[in-house]
Amino acid sequence: LLIRSKETKPQTSLNRDGRFKNMEEAFIYMNTKRNLTGYRIVIIDDVVTTGATMFAAENALIPHLPENAKIICIALAH
């Protein structure tokens, strides 16, 4: 549902504010002409540190999701 709309700097080289700025408008929603009601959408990222990437993905998705949609993050550290 999302595609990367721009290349970004590696997040590891940036502070918290820089990470959020770096990820602004990094994703765009691909119009699938499909009603998303009842679908489960999972966003997978290799590392969630500040949440900047997930926040950017959420911002791209929110306008296209049903009103009662929930966005959650599942993390595993080992």
Side-chain angles (χ1 to χ4, degrees), residues 30-76:
M30 288 186 53
N31 183 355
T32 61
K33 298 181 182 175
R34 183 183 310 166
N35 183 337
L36 298 178
T37 301
Y39 281 84
R40 290 193 173 111
I41 299 167
V42 178
I43 300 170
I44 300 172
D45 194 3
D46 60 338
V47 175
V48 177
T49 305
T50 61
T53 303
M54 290 296 200
F55 185 75
E58 175 186 30
N59 283 340
L61 275 173
I62 286 289
H64 309 283
L65 294 177
E67 192 173 304
N68 62 345
K70 295 178 186 173
I71 295 177
I72 62 170
C73 173
I74 300 173
L76 173 65

Side-chain angles (χ1 to χ4, degrees), residues 17-30:
D17 291 338
R19 290 177 183 205
F20 278 87
K21 181 77 173 159
N22 189 41
M23 294 308 297
E24 285 179 3
E25 300 178 5
F27 301 103
I28 58 173
Y29 176 79
M30 288 186 53

